[in-house]
Amino acid sequence: MTQNFTTRTLDLTTGSREGVFDLTRECARFLQEAAQGRDGLLNVFVPHATAGIAVIETGAGSDEDLLAALKDLLPADDRWRHRHGSPGHGRDHVLPAFVPPHATLPVVAGELALGTWQSVTLVDTNVDNPRRQVRLSFLG
């Protein structure tokens, strides 16, 4: 079986507030071109030390709940040894240990095989960096 590998980088503006940004449509658009109806794997990777990729429900409060849980778990205060940037920015550098910078997802017949309420999201708590890149790679 011949396998193809295709990759693309998304350039995103996340703004100056913490957020959960839905990437599901961008992933689907990429797969229309890259997968062309084939089965395979989609890898979503954010090459930043202060952001992560999560597969969660969005729009029904789960995205806000995730940010609230991260604030409880990783408060933006002066406890962090990593001390450049905004107050509490050190916690942003710990975030990828809890929300990893990647996800690998199944692709069936050219489409993401997500559950009914699942979305692919970028989780960004770093208010100092409003520009992000996300690399989408398809192997199939």
Side-chain angles (χ1 to χ4, degrees):
M1 177 167 112
T2 302
Q3 292 193 344
N4 294 317
F5 179 80
T6 306
T7 189
R8 174 175 302 142
T9 301
L10 303 174
D11 292 310
L12 305 170
T13 301
T14 56
S16 60
R17 63 176 179 79
E18 297 179 6
V20 176
F21 304 90
D22 194 336
L23 304 174
T24 310
R25 286 188 188 140
E26 288 87 348
C27 291
R29 277 191 286 258
F30 169 70
L31 289 172
Q32 282 181 329
E33 180 183 318
Q36 298 178 351
R38 293 188 311 269
D39 293 350
L41 296 172
L42 173 68
N43 183 265
V44 183
F45 175 72
V46 57
H48 299 282
T50 59
I53 300 295
V55 178
I56 64 168
E57 178 181 10
T58 60
S62 296
D63 34 0
E64 291 90 359
D65 289 342
L66 174 58
L67 291 174
L70 289 171
K71 283 180 184 179
D72 289 344
L73 187 62
L74 304 170
D77 58 23
D78 63 357
R79 73 183 69 202
W80 308 101
R81 290 180 182 93
H82 188 106
R83 294 189 183 261
H84 73 85
S86 297
H89 173 66
R91 70 147 187 161
D92 299 326
H93 287 274
V94 178
L95 173 75
F98 295 91
V99 181
H102 59 87
T104 301
L105 306 164
V107 176
V108 177
E111 296 185 11
L112 274 174
L114 295 174
T116 301
W117 304 112
Q118 290 180 316
S119 295
V120 181
T121 65
L122 168 69
V123 179
D124 189 0
T125 59
N126 182 356
V127 299
D128 294 336
N129 188 353
R131 299 178 110 19
R132 296 297 188 169
Q133 290 187 328
V134 175
R135 177 165 297 280
L136 305 177
S137 300
F138 174 74
L139 177 64

